[in-house]
Amino acid sequence: MSPNIPRASTALQNLTVLDLSRVRAGPTCARQFADWGANVIKIEAPERLEGGDPIGGPRHAGDFQNLHRNKRSITLDLKSEQGRATLLRLAEKADILIENFRPDVKRRLKIDYPDLKAVNPRIVYASISAYGQTGPYETWPGFDQIAQGMGGLMSVTGLPGQGPVRAGAAVADMAAGLFAALGIMVALLERERSGEGQYVEASLLAAQIFMLDFQAARWLIDKVVPGQAGNNHPTSIPTGVYKTKDGQINIATTGSPTWTRFCKAIGAEHFLDNPNYASNALRVQNRDAMNADIESVLASNTSAYWIEQLNAQGVAAGPIYAIDEMFADPQVKHIGVATAMKTPDRGTLQVVRQPVSLSRTPSKVVMHSPERGEHTDEVLAEFGFSAGEIEELKKAGAT
């Protein structure tokens, strides 16, 4: 089935995705497929069933527009028998289904993996939950900040003694969505050999713990409980935020050769003769005194000057931007992170493109985020529903 719709890429144009997910983690997963050309069908509840504030934020706000581009939308009442039967009929021809209901909800609706596998053994069914599909917390509601706290991130974010601090971006949500997309791709590759789909599971909690990376390893292997280090790197010294004559910059110095280049770049070769700074271990031990010495040197010139000097000597350094400043940076403009999306109601908007590029099958933004149910009739027709069947579903309130 290859409907004649705009495709963001030719890379995944043979895939059809049913996206039942909401909020962020699931839609992030689905966006990975939409941006690479899959036929992604966002399945939403009819508006009458969603009272109060919209789930996932206002439809025409920037967040929703950035998250749901390149998808089409249909409405289905999955609590109705007709709506459930329609979903199963769609699933017969789909490759992927993505959902992030609480585990008990999809079982109650009878749209769990066994239900869909029965009609399509090739389907790859991906579930994204807060804490996992089983276990003591399986029915708990969960959101990004809860996972950040439970997953340890908030304990290592912020200044020493400050108390827990959430990261400024939805780390757990985004990671769970991206890992789920990776799992789906692995399952699709395996399907090429076996001919069978399978069940893919991701959770905000597991994704957040995985994202701790070396901080998790410090405990699991070395039995060190990491704490808050503020803007200082916990183990690589000196790495952190340093004041200059007119602001602050990031500097990252790893290993003795880089430390030597750093001292020469800022004209502080005498640091190399200080016995308190002779090794990384000593620099960790004397971090506060060393940072004060570094800032006394950096205070003599501007951020732009030091960034140029340090990078010229092979020492990583960069500005610390507000979001508007970041998008104005010449390198950010050069790599084209922001891309245009035409919308019927808000004109041309700028959204963030995929951060990875492919030479033959690049990703583009070709469709604005859809209105609720905007494509219900055309999608159902593409899946073989007759005009009479579509009308009957409308009369029954199933769409």
Side-chain angles (χ1 to χ4, degrees), residues 40 42 53 59 81 98 113 180-181 183 224 227 264 275 321:
V40 176
K42 180 174 173 55
D53 294 331
R59 199 169 199 98
E81 187 53 42
I98 301 165
Y113 175 57
V224 172
K264 291 180 178 178
Y321 286 143

Side-chain angles (χ1 to χ4, degrees), residues 9-28:
S9 174
T10 58
L12 302 180
Q13 64 179 1
N14 61 314
L15 297 177
T16 294
V17 181
L18 304 179
D19 176 19
L20 276 65
S21 67
R22 303 179 293 177
V23 191
R24 187 173 311 282
T28 295

Side-chain angles (χ1 to χ4, degrees), residues 363-387:
S363 171
K364 299 178 292 183
V365 175
V366 295
M367 289 192 291
H368 62 274
S369 293
E371 296 299 319
R372 184 192 298 269
E374 179 179 344
H375 307 97
T376 300
D377 289 4
E378 73 177 45
V379 167
L380 292 179
E382 289 165 6
F383 276 79
F385 287 74
S386 68

Side-chain angles (χ1 to χ4, degrees), residues 251-274:
I251 301 173
T253 306
T254 304
S256 295
T258 309
W259 165 247
T260 299
R261 293 198 303 273
F262 168 75
C263 294
K264 291 180 178 178
I266 66 172
E269 287 92 339
H270 60 282
F271 289 172
L272 298 173
D273 300 323
N274 189 325

Side-chain angles (χ1 to χ4, degrees), residues 1 3-5 39 41-44 46 72-76 86 89-90 370-399:
M1 181 175 59
N4 186 25
I5 59 172
N39 175 26
I41 300 162
K42 180 174 173 55
I43 299 176
E44 306 183 68
R72 295 187 293 169
S73 169
I74 72 170
T75 53
L76 280 182
T86 300
R89 189 165 161 184
L90 298 178
E371 296 299 319
R372 184 192 298 269
E374 179 179 344
H375 307 97
T376 300
D377 289 4
E378 73 177 45
V379 167
L380 292 179
E382 289 165 6
F383 276 79
F385 287 74
S386 68
E389 288 175 314
I390 294 172
E391 188 60 32
E392 284 300 315
L393 288 171
K394 289 180 182 179
K395 289 180 179 178
T399 63

Side-chain angles (χ1 to χ4, degrees), residues 4 48 59 68 94 118 120 122 138 154 158 162-163 174 179 194 215 225-226 240 260 307 338 342 352 366 377:
N4 186 25
R48 69 179 188 279
R59 199 169 199 98
H68 295 286
N120 180 1
R122 287 177 54 83
E138 69 173 274
M154 292 174 67
Q162 181 179 3
M174 293 292 292
F179 288 137
S194 67
Q215 295 282 47
V225 179
T260 299
I307 290 169
K342 295 181 179 179
V352 179
V366 295
D377 289 4

Side-chain angles (χ1 to χ4, degrees), residues 270-283 285-286:
H270 60 282
F271 289 172
L272 298 173
D273 300 323
N274 189 325
N276 292 329
Y277 308 155
S279 68
N280 191 71
L282 287 167
R283 292 193 289 274
Q285 184 178 333
N286 299 289

